[in-house]
Structure formats: structure tokens, C-alpha cells
Amino acid sequence: MDTSDWFRQRFDPHQCPVLNHTHILDPQALRWWLGLQHNTDKQTLEEVMSQLFQVIPPPSLDLQPLPSRCRSCAVVGNSGNLRHSGHGKMIDSHTSVIRMNKAVTSGFEEDVGNRTTHHFLYPESAVDIVDGASLVLLPFKVKDLQWLTSALSTGHITMTYMRVKERIKADLEKVLVVNPEFFKYCHEHWTEGHGRYPSTGLVALIYALHTCDQLSLFGYGADQNGNWDHYWEENPYPGAFRKTGVHNADYETQIIHRLAQEHKITLRT
Ligand code: C5P
């Protein structure tokens, strides 16, 4: 398949999606990342990472796609457009199934399936992880890494900017942390500075582009009023992100459509 200039200019195969214990963040990336949300902590990132990697093992996964082993991946956003989609079986048929934030499957199997291999979240969106799946933390601040250490061990962190889940059920051997440098790469190369930072869904999609061979995207897309509604709820305040302008939903949608046009992903909405 031909790769366009558009794709080549954005996709950097040398980016490392996952943080490991030896990683020293590039100072520019660190500055960008520390500016995302309010940071109050006195501990250095090195100290925080060192404590985290005493609780979880460094990633040993081979994240690069292997030509000999075709890995298909379903990335499942939380859009209300999954309701009555009947996509459940198709989603579950992929090798990997990535879900995110408060995604639920119970009671929605017909439309969203029930397998999960990776669950992207951050402290304020955390849920327990189903057996066998990887928790993938998308960190926005130093406290998020401290929270992960705590939530998997002592449970002493109960607040970030809001009350958060004290403990989380997850397989320690499978916990992964998105590399803040990769997050910045998503912001600069893909959303190109539109919005304050990319959405969880956009980061999960680019993560999958880097780690899977064949990618299908489900559950992305705003409702008819342009709000990011969820398939499992009557949405009381679904437009929160759009109103605050933290993410640029329209620009992210353009990227998704372009990737589909270029056959880098299959869009199932
Ligand atoms: O709402 P939440 O952030 O949990 O949803 C996960 C991701 O799914 C979002 O970050 C966004 O990329 C995508 N989404 C979407 N359209 C919606 C709801 C969510 O594209 N209506």
C-alpha cells in the first residue's frame, strides 16, 4: 500500500509509545507535559517513576507489529453511535480490543462486544480492569503516576483535582504507561496543536497505529449537536470537553477521516 506524504510527515516509527524505567524525558517534552494540568508535587519525575517501577515491572512487551503475525486491533471509543450498531461480534473478533475511560460492556455486548485487551484511563476516569487486560495509563501530570503506584499498592492517594478511585483492580504484569513524549508527539504531529491536548481516543488511535497491523475504529463521532455523548448513558453534560475546548473534536475527526481515506484504518461508524 502506498504511503502518502501526508502520512509520512506525521507518522514517526521511532516514537516509543510506552514509558519504561530507564526513560529520561526530553526537557522540551517534559516542559510541555508539566504544563498540561496543575502540578503541585515536589517529587521529581525520576523519583516518581522509580517508585512506580517498583510496583509494576518495566514493560517487556514487543510493541512493534510483526509482519509474520498479523495483529488486528479494534479501537473502541465511547460514542453514542455504538448504540444499536450490532458491532459487538465484529469488535470481539479482533486480536486486540482497546477500550477507554468509563467504557462498560456489561449489558451492551451486542453493540460493543465483551473482550478487552487494553484499557486506557487516567485517575479521574479509572475503572477496574477486566481479567487478562492491560491497564494503560494516559498520564497528564506527575500526580497521575503517583496515583497509579498508590492505586496498585497502598491506596493512600484519594484526591487529584477531584476525588479518585483509591484502589484499582489490574494485573500488575500488564500495566503500561503512555510515554509523555509520545503524548506530545500526538499533539504536535497529529492534532498539530489544535486543542490544548489530544483526547484519550486520539492517543489510543495513534498508539494502535504504532503497535498494530490492521486497525478498525469503532465508537468515534459526536452526536447531532456536536457533543461527545456516551453509548451507556443518557448524557447530562456530554459537551463538556467541546465547550471547554480542551480537545478539538472537529480536527480529530478530520484526522480520522484522512486515515480512513488513506486505508490506514477502517472506520466502522
Ligand atoms: O468521553 P470519553 O473521553 O471517555 O471517550 C473516549 C474517546 O472516545 C474520546 O476521547 C473520543 O476520542 C471518543 N469519542 C468520540 N465521540 C463521542 C464520545 C467519545 O469520538 N461521542
Side-chain angles (χ1 to χ4, degrees):
M1 181 108 27
D2 283 351
T3 290
S4 70
D5 286 344
W6 180 87
F7 187 80
R8 254 194 304 273
Q9 282 156 14
R10 284 160 183 78
F11 186 84
D12 174 2
H14 303 296
Q15 289 291 326
C16 175
V18 165
L19 192 65
N20 71 46
H21 62 307
T22 57
H23 215 103
I24 295 170
L25 243 62
D26 157 70
Q28 274 191 341
L30 182 61
R31 206 169 317 122
W32 176 80
W33 183 69
L34 290 175
L36 291 185
Q37 288 184 2
H38 190 51
N39 273 288
T40 47
D41 282 293
K42 303 281 173 286
Q43 270 193 309
T44 65
L45 183 60
E46 287 72 27
E47 287 165 347
V48 173
M49 277 171 61
S50 150
Q51 287 165 355
L52 174 62
F53 286 109
Q54 283 165 30
V55 172
I56 60 169
S60 59
L61 291 174
D62 168 27
L63 291 161
Q64 297 305 315
L66 297 174
S68 56
R69 192 178 64 200
C70 185
R71 285 191 281 197
S72 67
C73 179
V75 183
V76 188
N78 287 333
S79 172
N81 68 21
L82 279 167
R83 249 179 263 131
H84 313 299
S85 67
H87 281 328
K89 279 208 177 75
M90 202 198 296
I91 290 174
D92 281 348
S93 71
H94 292 77
T95 320
S96 301
V97 180
I98 296 181
R99 299 187 197 269
M100 53 202 85
N101 297 339
K102 300 272 183 204
V104 282
T105 56
S106 178
F108 302 90
E109 291 85 350
E110 211 163 304
D111 294 331
V112 308
N114 66 6
R115 286 187 55 237
T116 304
T117 62
H118 297 77
H119 198 125
F120 279 64
L121 53 73
Y122 45 90
E124 298 82 10
S125 75
V127 292
D128 287 329
I129 303 302
V130 296
D131 287 347
S134 270
L135 183 165
V136 186
L137 177 78
L138 177 58
F140 295 90
K141 51 190 172 310
V142 176
K143 185 100 186 202
D144 294 357
L145 301 173
Q146 293 170 316
W147 167 80
L148 184 60
T149 308
S150 164
L152 294 170
S153 58
T154 56
H156 67 279
I157 296 185
T158 57
M159 288 286 294
T160 57
Y161 56 78
M162 59 183 266
R163 200 163 170 98
V164 289
K165 209 166 149 47
E166 286 163 39
R167 289 181 190 274
I168 191 158
K169 188 171 91 51
D171 182 344
L172 291 180
E173 301 294 316
K174 292 192 166 176
V175 174
L176 299 170
V177 178
V178 174
N179 181 355
E181 280 174 5
F182 187 80
F183 195 5
K184 178 166 175 274
Y185 152 76
C186 293
H187 180 63
E188 290 184 343
H189 283 227
W190 291 97
T191 47
E192 298 179 279
H194 292 82
R196 278 234 306 120
Y197 45 86
S199 72
T200 315
L202 198 280
V203 177
L205 159 61
I206 305 301
Y207 176 99
L209 262 187
H210 279 257
T211 55
C212 301
D213 301 305
Q214 279 178 7
L215 213 167
S216 303
L217 207 65
F218 299 83
Y220 282 64
D223 68 11
Q224 71 275 21
N225 301 316
N227 292 322
W228 275 3
D229 58 338
H230 294 149
Y231 60 83
W232 64 85
E233 62 185 358
E234 290 305 321
N235 301 273
Y237 309 110
F241 272 145
R242 219 181 142 85
K243 282 180 196 144
T244 60
V246 176
H247 310 309
N248 187 322
D250 295 333
Y251 201 74
E252 293 193 4
T253 304
Q254 280 180 39
I255 297 167
I256 289 168
H257 284 279
R258 184 71 191 255
L259 284 169
Q261 245 173 36
E262 304 215 351
H263 306 289
K264 297 294 179 193
I265 65 174
T266 305
L267 193 52
R268 310 266 187 201
T269 48

